[in-house]
Amino acid sequence: MVETILPLKVSDITVRKRGVHLLGPVSIEMARKGFTIVMGPNGAGKSTLLKALHGMERLVGGTVEWALPQKAAQERQSFVFQTPTLMRRSVVENVAYPLLVQGMRRAEAMDVAMSWLARVGLADMAQNRASYLSGGERQKMALVRALVRDPEVLFLDEPCANLDGRATRDIEGLLQEVHAAGTRVVMATHDFGQARRLASEVWFMHRGKVLEATPAEAFFDQPKTPQAQAFLNGEIVE
Ligand SMILES: Nc1ncnc2c1ncn2[C@@H]1O[C@H](COP(=O)(O)OP(=O)(O)OP(=O)(O)O)[C@@H](O)[C@H]1O
Ligand SMILES: [Mg+2]
């Protein structure tokens, strides 16, 4: 049997910072397959939840249990932030870096990185300094850097905020491809169109809680909670 870090079982997690309650308690399960879109108003706790699942938040309570031990689980997930961090190196070196860290030979790592860059149309810019890339190009680079180790689970926190339609379409295309190839995707977005195009499941958050975790069709047809209904109607939900 192939070892997998999924399913994920999250029980009663709570995050608090400087005495302020930011998240929880949240209990949720994540099945082996799917494309989860996390929605909700600003400050609802989407970023905090994604980071908590990825092990980047200190929990004051609750557990995040992957099907494999923590270290193995950690190695099989990647995270793409809204604003990518760049190393002061070339584009291809940025993308190859995670492979070098895990011990791949340099020539091979560069080859793998180049093939991923070609998939997002950045092959011609591979030798440029990463800092010269435009916002959309940076985000594509960050995405392939996250994918280069072939993670089982990919977290993305509003990766297309600030991007134009074309860059967004390119990124969505690649996400659909990796999802079809078996990668479990969990992504926060404010873009309803994007959510409808990509989601198989929606987690709707409000004030640090997950109010709904529903198959996408059901969520968009008939959200259960008044907060989600108002949110989908474009009302201001606080
Ligand atoms: N380091 C911190 N210290 C104190 N409060 C914080 C910290 N980080 C986040 N918060 C607060 O936690 C709450 C949840 O923030 P979070 O960033 O998770 O929301 P979000 O749903 O991702 O919002 P957005 O849509 O604006 O990205 C917000 O009220 C925010 O102000
Ligand atoms: Mg956020």
Side-chain angles (χ1 to χ4, degrees):
M1 213 189 93
V2 183
E3 282 194 315
T4 161
I5 65 172
L6 292 162
L8 167 68
K9 191 171 186 325
V10 176
S11 311
D12 286 329
I13 57 168
T14 304
V15 175
R16 212 175 289 148
K17 275 183 193 159
R18 298 189 208 110
V20 184
H21 180 89
L22 305 193
L23 182 76
V26 168
S27 296
I28 208 154
E29 296 206 13
M30 198 163 91
R32 175 71 195 92
K33 295 206 183 314
F35 198 127
T36 302
I37 291 283
V38 186
M39 303 200 86
N42 290 132
K46 303 179 294 295
S47 299
T48 307
L49 175 63
L50 294 188
K51 285 190 278 180
L53 300 190
H54 189 52
M56 290 160 57
E57 292 282 7
R58 198 171 63 82
L59 306 178
V60 291
T63 53
V64 173
E65 289 174 281
W66 299 92
L68 292 180
Q70 183 57 34
K71 187 170 178 295
Q74 196 66 44
E75 286 167 359
R76 297 188 198 195
Q77 336 167 5
S78 295
F79 201 108
V80 177
F81 296 92
Q82 186 174 341
T83 312
T85 44
L86 308 177
M87 292 189 298
R88 295 159 63 93
R89 300 184 188 185
S90 70
V91 172
V92 66
E93 280 172 310
N94 266 268
V95 176
Y97 184 74
L99 297 172
L100 296 172
V101 167
Q102 75 177 19
M104 189 182 281
R105 283 185 309 114
R106 187 174 167 80
E108 190 185 351
M110 296 302 252
D111 280 353
V112 175
M114 281 304 300
S115 66
W116 277 99
L117 285 168
R119 281 180 76 170
V120 286
L122 291 182
D124 290 347
M125 299 176 192
Q127 305 306 332
N128 295 1
R129 266 177 167 276
S131 55
Y132 293 171
L133 295 178
S134 74
E137 291 159 356
R138 279 177 197 212
Q139 202 51 284
K140 288 179 192 172
M141 186 199 80
L143 178 57
V144 292
R145 185 173 56 191
L147 288 169
V148 78
R149 288 189 305 145
D150 197 17
E152 231 181 283
V153 179
L154 176 66
F155 293 103
L156 306 110
D157 193 2
E158 303 197 39
C160 300
N162 311 320
L163 302 193
D164 68 14
R166 185 161 170 214
T168 299
R169 191 186 59 201
D170 291 348
I171 286 178
E172 287 185 10
L174 183 58
L175 290 176
Q176 279 169 324
E177 281 173 35
V178 298
H179 171 243
T183 307
R184 185 69 171 85
V185 187
V186 186
M187 171 167 133
T189 182
H190 279 281
D191 179 340
F192 288 102
Q194 178 166 68
R196 284 176 189 271
R197 286 190 294 276
L198 297 176
S200 67
E201 168 189 55
V202 176
W203 296 350
F204 177 73
M205 296 194 69
H206 184 243
R207 296 191 182 170
K209 298 229 168 70
V210 176
L211 298 191
E212 301 196 31
T214 332
E217 256 174 58
F219 179 79
F220 290 117
D221 278 1
Q222 215 161 37
K224 283 182 268 191
T225 56
Q227 292 90 341
Q229 280 165 18
F231 184 72
L232 285 177
N233 287 335
E235 293 162 30
I236 293 169
V237 181
E238 286 171 306

